[in-house]
Amino acid sequence: MPRKCQNKYRFTSWRKAQEFAESYTKQVSMLFNPMRAYWCHSHEVWHIGHDLRQRIDYKNGGQIVSND
């Protein structure tokens, strides 16, 4: 179940959200799913979250692959 938006960071542009997601990814040593920016229709802002449709494959150099 997705986390409620009220406790998430809010960004006014996709670029700011994406920059934050990239910065977060560099600070955390291991993520199972990449971070990405997404539009929140409820608040009309950008949030960041884990992209559950993709995963990071550390066995193959940390490349992003589909979860399918």
Side-chain angles (χ1 to χ4, degrees):
M1 176 178 284
R3 196 169 110 186
K4 295 193 189 247
C5 294
Q6 61 206 28
N7 297 326
K8 289 192 170 189
Y9 290 108
R10 298 174 186 210
F11 300 92
T12 56
S13 71
W14 177 87
R15 176 166 295 214
K16 290 179 183 178
Q18 188 61 30
E19 287 174 357
F20 188 90
E22 290 172 9
S23 172
Y24 178 88
T25 299
K26 289 177 185 175
Q27 293 176 28
V28 176
S29 60
M30 184 178 282
L31 294 172
F32 294 104
N33 305 92
M35 296 296 284
R36 69 172 184 88
Y38 67 92
W39 180 251
C40 174
H41 293 285
S42 299
H43 298 112
E44 296 186 350
V45 295
W46 292 91
H47 293 305
I48 64 164
H50 295 277
D51 187 346
L52 301 179
R53 295 172 296 179
Q54 296 181 327
R55 64 182 169 80
I56 300 174
D57 183 0
Y58 290 101
K59 291 181 183 178
N60 293 310
Q63 65 183 345
I64 297 174
V65 296
S66 175
N67 246 354
D68 295 339

